[in-house]
Amino acid sequence: MAVLLIMSGNEKKEFGDYQTPIDFCYKVCEYIKQQGFSATAKAIIEPTCGIGNFLSAAFTVFGCSNTFGIEINEKYARLSKEAVPSAKVIVDNIFDINTRCLCGANDVLVIGNPPWATNAGLFYNLPQKANFKGLRGIDALTGSSNFDICEYIILQLLHEYKNTNSTICMLCKTSVARNIILEIARCQICYDKIEMLKFNSKKIFGISTAACILVLKLSSDKKNTSVICGVKNFENGSLLDTLIVKDGVLKTISTQADLEGTCQLVWRSGVKHDCSKVMELDIKDGKLINKQKSVVEIEGDLVFPLVKSSGFKAPVLTEFTKFIIITQTKLKQDTTYIQNAYPQTWGYLNDNINYFNKRKSVIYKGAAPFSMFGIGDYTFSPYKVGLSGFYKKPLFCLLHSTKPVMTDDTTYFLAFEDYNIAYTMMLLLNSQTVQDFLASIAFLDSKRPYTIKLLSRLDLKRCIATVSFREITNTEAKLQLPRYITAEMYAQLENYIRVADLFPPGQHNFP
């Protein structure tokens, strides 16, 4: 009989605690047995076993008496022991245990549901915080260095059981599963079969997160020339997709035009300030209003039009109701120049300095007052072609106004000095050929399907070679834009990209 025991809200968050329903555990165990992933396991182990539902189901389905569980919560550990009296349940932190040494077998079924939480939100139930993915520079200082605890645990298990005939079966976010697949390829870990089984996390756990069962049959001798993973619907077994790792990149096997490569231009993200109550302004009755509903009377020179991620709704944007104060023209610039040049702005910023002092990110530590990031020459380019990172179907928008248009840090753009070049690029990126390719390499269940890393894989030379001028004119018509594009403009863009290709990205003298 399943026991229902729920942690308090804070404890649930701290331990990433989502106990797997017992009937779902049985379905998972029966599937991996029927599909031949682990028919003859010499031992069963459930890391972070909770109340023991997976432990109980695996013990029953596989009939293996050599069963182990690890759980940091003593109350849960006792319930696991009650569920499987013959199991050895250890009260300890999974990060302090080598599970392979514990079970001492070469053919092990490792099964479970590790905590769904990141290191940024935890304080106790986690390994020593470290930049374990080897990130450099700004990525290591910002949220990019946060890692998923579930991913950390699966990676630990992966390296413990590599070169064995064991099976690892873990519930996790689909984003975590994809990272694991990349690690298998990067480390050339021998395996027999990999599957991602997508399931409805809202139905099972009451949370809206793209989730799957990652099932990996390792091998002690099989050599893999490539990593291929089937993606299935767990409810009906239908094949949804096939993932493959090629040149260190995870992508779907697709019949779309191959536009994969290195982008000849540099994708940028918008400005980052983490102080929207002060820096972001709306206009009402001709007056600037901040997020505190206060009228802001400052000089206009440092106030620029702003389009946030939700504002990317038309192919050409020229009118804006939101604005932002830009305090720097380059990174690490001393902001005290504002005091003499723009005294009203300086007074306004200092009147609200408490909001700036509350910014948590370490990137602001030791920086000049009112510092921003995502700032450079490209920030002030008169024309930008960008998109929101959040939308599943990307719409690339051309942004321009009487002053350079700013975007927030959830958006990505290319910067241009010439309107015709920017306009033609907008049409190229919105063409069906490019859109189909982007859809084939993006993972739409991610929080941000489109990132700089993904967009940087778009080879613009291949795009121009593949997309005909007729398709460009058709794109313009589909976007309901008046006819403006010419063959000469498309040739001009082709030459622009050809020249850019002669230099490493970011090394040419134009945006």
Side-chain angles (χ1 to χ4, degrees):
M1 178 178 180
V3 179
L4 181 62
L5 182 65
I6 302 176
M7 285 184 170
S8 68
N10 289 337
E11 287 179 317
K12 193 177 185 73
K13 181 178 180 181
E14 166 60 24
F15 288 85
D17 177 50
Y18 297 98
Q19 297 297 316
T20 314
I22 188 69
D23 58 338
F24 191 74
C25 293
Y26 271 100
K27 287 180 182 178
V28 173
C29 291
E30 287 164 358
Y31 177 88
I32 61 178
K33 183 176 182 179
Q34 292 169 2
Q35 297 299 315
F37 277 97
S38 185
T40 59
K42 301 296 189 299
I44 296 171
I45 187 163
E46 183 183 2
T48 65
C49 62
I51 62 176
N53 284 348
F54 259 124
L55 203 63
S56 177
F59 175 77
T60 303
V61 171
F62 293 95
C64 178
S65 60
N66 196 23
T67 308
F68 302 84
I70 302 167
E71 174 55 46
I72 196 170
N73 184 306
E74 292 187 19
K75 293 180 180 178
Y76 281 6
R78 285 198 297 270
L79 290 171
S80 291
K81 184 66 175 176
E82 291 174 9
V84 186
S86 63
K88 182 176 181 180
V89 180
I90 299 170
V91 179
D92 208 335
N93 191 328
I94 181 62
F95 306 115
D96 298 330
I97 295 178
N98 184 306
T99 65
R100 187 179 174 192
C101 293
L102 177 66
C103 62
N106 191 54
D107 186 354
V108 181
L109 170 60
V110 187
I111 192 167
N113 179 15
W116 293 18
T118 64
N119 68 320
L122 304 184
F123 296 97
Y124 305 107
N125 185 32
L126 76 170
Q128 181 178 355
K129 291 187 178 183
N131 181 14
F132 86 147
K133 290 186 177 180
L135 298 172
R136 295 180 294 177
I138 193 70
D139 288 335
L141 293 176
T142 61
S144 299
S145 60
N146 292 334
F147 58 85
D148 195 291
I149 296 300
C150 180
E151 179 180 336
Y152 192 102
I153 291 173
I154 298 174
L155 288 174
Q156 176 177 315
L157 295 168
L158 183 66
H159 287 284
E160 285 178 12
Y161 289 93
K162 65 182 179 182
N163 300 322
T164 74
N165 295 313
S166 299
T167 296
I168 297 176
C169 175
M170 293 283 149
L171 274 61
C172 60
K173 300 173 187 176
T174 53
S175 58
V176 167
R178 290 192 286 266
N179 287 342
I180 299 302
I181 294 168
L182 283 169
E183 181 72 1
I184 291 169
R186 186 181 72 84
C187 297
Q188 298 182 324
I189 294 174
C190 298
Y191 75 95
D192 188 47
K193 183 165 62 170
I194 311 174
E195 285 186 355
M196 282 175 59
L197 310 170
K198 290 190 173 182
F199 67 89
N200 188 336
S201 63
K202 184 72 174 178
K203 179 180 177 182
I204 302 301
F205 296 115
I207 57 175
S208 298
T209 299
C212 70
I213 306 152
L214 178 64
V215 192
L216 167 63
K217 175 66 175 177
L218 293 165
S219 173
S220 60
D221 55 10
K222 187 173 182 178
K223 302 299 180 184
N224 310 110
T225 56
S226 61
V227 177
I228 301 176
C229 174
V231 182
K232 296 181 178 180
N233 182 323
F234 186 54
E235 289 292 323
N236 57 32
S238 62
L239 183 66
L240 302 175
D241 218 332
T242 302
L243 303 179
I244 185 168
V245 180
K246 183 179 180 181
D247 299 326
V249 175
L250 186 64
K251 59 192 298 184
T252 59
I253 294 178
S254 172
T255 58
Q256 307 301 333
D258 185 7
L259 306 180
E260 183 84 43
T262 300
C263 190
Q264 287 77 16
L265 303 180
V266 180
W267 286 93
R268 308 287 188 178
S269 62
V271 295
K272 179 178 176 62
H273 54 78
D274 295 314
C275 199
S276 60
K277 288 186 177 181
V278 180
M279 303 292 272
E280 295 181 9
L281 310 170
D282 294 304
I283 191 164
K284 186 176 182 181
D285 298 328
K287 295 182 178 181
L288 294 173
I289 310 294
N290 65 19
K291 301 298 182 184
Q292 304 166 70
K293 307 300 182 184
S294 300
V295 174
V296 178
E297 296 183 351
I298 57 177
E299 300 88 353
D301 286 9
L302 302 186
V303 179
F304 293 82
L306 171 68
V307 57
K308 296 176 72 69
S309 199
S310 58
F312 283 77
K313 295 180 178 179
V316 179
L317 296 172
T318 60
E319 296 182 0
F320 307 91
T321 60
K322 294 184 180 297
F323 296 84
I324 186 171
I325 301 169
I326 300 296
T327 58
Q328 296 168 301
T329 58
K330 58 183 178 181
L331 287 177
K332 300 182 180 180
Q333 180 183 2
D334 184 357
T335 56
T336 56
Y337 78 93
I338 301 173
Q339 184 173 11
N340 293 324
Y342 308 105
Q344 286 181 293
T345 303
W346 185 253
Y348 169 71
L349 294 174
N350 277 280
D351 287 345
N352 291 276
I353 197 167
N354 287 340
Y355 289 104
F356 292 95
N357 292 339
K358 292 177 183 177
R359 297 189 293 186
K360 295 181 179 180
S361 177
V362 296
I363 62 175
Y364 302 110
K365 186 177 181 180
F370 322 118
S371 285
M372 309 178 78
F373 285 81
I375 293 291
D377 292 343
Y378 54 87
T379 307
F380 301 93
S381 295
Y383 307 104
K384 296 182 175 78
V385 176
L387 81 164
S388 164
F390 290 123
Y391 293 164
K392 297 184 184 301
K393 181 172 175 56
L395 174 64
F396 291 88
C397 306
L398 169 57
L399 316 175
H400 69 99
S401 187
T402 54
K403 295 178 73 173
V405 180
M406 303 295 148
T407 68
D408 67 20
D409 62 343
T410 66
T411 64
Y412 312 104
F413 65 87
L414 298 173
F416 300 93
E417 295 292 325
D418 182 272
Y419 176 82
N420 285 353
I421 292 287
Y423 182 85
T424 311
M425 178 63 76
M426 178 272 294
L427 294 181
L428 177 64
L429 295 174
N430 282 316
S431 68
Q432 194 61 53
T433 297
V434 174
Q435 291 276 310
D436 288 345
F437 172 73
L438 290 173
S440 76
I441 65 172
F443 295 103
L444 302 184
D445 54 14
S446 299
K447 184 178 180 181
R448 295 191 197 183
Y450 299 96
T451 63
I452 284 180
K453 185 175 181 180
L454 182 139
L455 294 167
S456 297
R457 293 165 54 187
L458 185 63
D459 188 320
L460 295 175
K461 281 184 65 177
R462 290 191 179 189
C463 291
I464 291 175
T466 305
V467 179
S468 67
F469 179 65
R470 179 182 290 274
E471 185 175 353
I472 291 293
T473 59
N474 288 341
T475 300
E476 188 177 43
K478 287 180 181 179
L479 294 173
Q480 298 183 327
L481 294 167
R483 181 62 184 267
Y484 180 77
I485 190 68
T486 65
E488 289 76 17
M489 288 168 60
Y490 200 36
Q492 185 183 12
L493 177 63
E494 181 178 15
N495 185 63
Y496 184 88
I497 299 304
R498 182 185 61 79
V499 173
D501 193 45
L502 298 175
F503 302 88
Q507 297 301 308
H508 35 70
N509 293 322
F510 48 92

